[in-house]
Amino acid sequence: QVQLVESGGGLVQAGGSLRLSCAASTSVFSRYAMGWYRQPPGKQRELVATLTRGGTANYADSVKGRFTITRDNAKNTVYLQMDSLKPEDTAVYYCNAKLISSALFEYWGQGTQVTVSS
């Protein structure tokens, strides 16, 4: 039932910035832990950042200090601010929503392409 729609991807030069957005359809957005993942060309999907319901953020070592994950519960939206972009950041970025209730519920967006040129 939950739909996630990413936006904000595109082509940017190394050292530039992008801000990704993920809009969720659920009316109980605040109950979900949110995350961003990415899949570089020819590689497996990897964790970029997560944000718990309590506001605790975790980052992959490769993006720590450069990326920031935030959420706006009033807008049902999670963001990924990406600064000091590097060519190795090139990937399809996916939004993830996770809810642990009587079972685990997990949803994914369709992905948005981020390309960083050198």
Side-chain angles (χ1 to χ4, degrees):
Q1 183 181 3
V2 176
Q3 294 182 336
L4 304 174
V5 181
E6 301 98 332
S7 62
L11 176 64
V12 65
Q13 293 186 1
S17 298
L18 285 174
R19 189 194 193 200
L20 304 183
S21 299
C22 173
S25 63
T26 179
S27 61
V28 290
F29 175 77
S30 62
R31 300 182 184 179
Y32 287 79
M34 303 299 298
W36 287 96
Y37 295 73
R38 69 186 183 187
Q39 187 168 14
K43 299 181 180 180
Q44 295 184 355
R45 188 175 299 184
E46 63 185 22
L47 174 68
V48 176
T50 59
L51 187 62
T52 69
R53 295 182 301 276
T56 300
N58 292 285
Y59 301 92
D61 289 341
S62 59
V63 307
K64 197 171 299 182
R66 300 187 297 119
F67 290 11
T68 305
I69 184 172
T70 58
R71 67 192 298 162
D72 187 339
N73 290 335
K75 296 181 178 180
N76 293 346
T77 302
V78 64
Y79 305 94
L80 184 67
Q81 178 67 45
M82 305 185 294
D83 298 320
S84 302
L85 283 163
K86 305 175 181 179
E88 47 264 47
D89 294 320
T90 295
V92 177
Y93 283 71
Y94 296 92
C95 179
N96 171 268
K98 184 181 298 181
L99 174 66
I100 300 177
S101 183
S102 59
L104 172 64
F105 296 88
E106 192 169 20
Y107 303 92
W108 294 90
Q110 80 290 340
T112 185
Q113 177 71 49
V114 172
T115 303
V116 184
S117 62
S118 59

